[in-house]
């Protein structure tokens, strides 16, 4: 009870309570529940030693928490340095992300992590094989590095992470993307991967963005949802299974106030409390036919 925010990883779940504590349940082989064990939990357990938390995020097998003092804490799998503590050692309880303060938002991708600071600068760490950290390289980073090329005069207000791609939403309503682009998930009209941010084409006035496995969603201030990238399962919601390299409007969806992207599906919350969903509806995705 008293929950104010939730987040989902690959096979684990997180909840933030109004008291600033975090609770977790599900798969725990890598310690992503943060309770000091590797025992899977069928009901919520408290994450050890965390208080004053204001935001949470779940990656593939790692978890992040932002505290009210602007520091970021991480736990779980750390094979690629996604915990940001300067090591590749997995952690069963939260550790602080090295030399990162003044953070106002966090996001977790498959095996990379992002943070935006109060000055509008974006930082990333962890897996970088596709340039998803945006620092102009494909070098994994064990501690945070700044994302290149985001003009400081128009600050970033929100971030999002897909599997191996990343987004920054700026105060002028534009969205910038970087990382893998095999299905057009960067939304810039090409299939060229980018190691630094590139602008997403199409409508401006975005107020939220979300990244899935290989597709992306954007919410406009007028309550419409736009989608781009892989559409093999219809996850773009435009009535087709055609990939889109630039944003296309999700069919018949208005009055939306929130969006989320799963691996192969998309979700939208409307102002009347109704949900809309599109994409894969298979109960066991590993048994479904996957794209070549």
């Amino acid at each position: 009870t008293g929950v104010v925010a939730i987040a989902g990883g690959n096979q684990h779940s997180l909840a933030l309570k109004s008291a600033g504590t975090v609770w977790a349940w599900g798969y725990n082989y890598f310690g992503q529940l943060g309770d000091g064990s590797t025992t899977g939990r069928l009901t919520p357990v408290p994450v050890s030693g965390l208080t004053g938390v204001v935001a949470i995020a779940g990656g593939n097998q790692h978890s992040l928490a932002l505290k009210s003092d602007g520091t970021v804490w991480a736990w779980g799998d750390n094979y690629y340095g996604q915990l940001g503590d300067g090591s590749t050692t997995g952690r069963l309880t939260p550790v602080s992300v090295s030399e990162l303060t003044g953070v106002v938002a966090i996001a977790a991708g498959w095996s990379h992590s992002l943070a935006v600071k109060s000055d509008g600068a974006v930082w990333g760490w962890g897996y970088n094989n596709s340039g998803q950290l945006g620092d102009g390289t494909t070098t994994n980073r064990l501690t945070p590095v700044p994302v290149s090329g985001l003009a400081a005069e128009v600050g970033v207000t929100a971030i999002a992470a897909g599997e191996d791609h990343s987004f920054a939403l700026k105060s002028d309503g534009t969205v910038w993307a970087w990382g893998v682009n095999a299905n057009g998930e960067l939304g810039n009209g090409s299939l060229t991967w980018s190691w630094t941010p590139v602008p997403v084409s199409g409508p401006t006035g975005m107020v939220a963005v979300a990244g899935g496995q290989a597709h992306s969603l954007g919410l406009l201030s007028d309550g419409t949802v736009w989608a781009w990238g892989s559409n093999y399962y219809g996850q773009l919601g435009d009535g087709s299974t055609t990939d889109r390299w630039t944003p296309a409007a999700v069919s018949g969806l208005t009055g939306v106030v929130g969006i989320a992207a799963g691996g192969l599906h998309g979700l939208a919350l409307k102002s009347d409390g109704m949900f809309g969903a599109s994409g894969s509806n298979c109960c066991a995705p590993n048994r479904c036919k996957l794209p070549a």
Side-chain angles (χ1 to χ4, degrees), residues 34-195:
D35 67 343
S37 80
T38 56
T39 303
R41 306 293 184 178
L42 305 185
T43 56
V45 292
V47 176
S48 300
L50 271 186
T51 58
V53 175
V54 296
I56 50 177
N60 173 32
Q61 308 291 4
H62 75 290
S63 306
L64 302 176
L66 170 63
K67 298 184 71 170
S68 57
D69 63 3
T71 61
V72 180
W73 295 71
W75 60 99
D77 185 27
N78 198 25
Y79 186 85
Y80 298 104
Q82 57 264 50
L83 302 189
D85 67 344
S87 80
T88 56
T89 303
R91 307 293 182 178
L92 305 186
T93 57
V95 293
S96 60
V97 176
S98 300
E99 300 178 4
L100 195 61
T101 59
V103 174
V104 295
I106 54 174
W110 186 257
S111 294
H112 73 289
S113 306
L114 301 172
V116 58
K117 299 182 70 170
S118 57
D119 61 3
V122 181
W123 294 68
W125 60 98
Y127 198 35
N128 197 29
N129 72 317
S130 306
Q132 56 265 54
L133 300 187
D135 67 342
T137 77
T138 55
T139 302
N140 297 341
R141 304 295 184 176
L142 307 187
T143 57
V145 293
V147 174
S148 303
L150 291 176
E153 65 270 16
V154 184
V156 172
T157 59
I159 50 176
E163 180 171 309
D164 289 315
H165 63 296
S166 306
F167 293 103
L169 173 63
K170 302 185 78 171
S171 58
D172 62 0
T174 61
V175 177
W176 294 69
W178 58 97
V180 70
N181 197 28
N183 300 96
E185 51 264 64
L186 299 190
N188 67 339
S190 80
L191 294 180
T192 302
W193 300 17
S194 183
W195 301 352

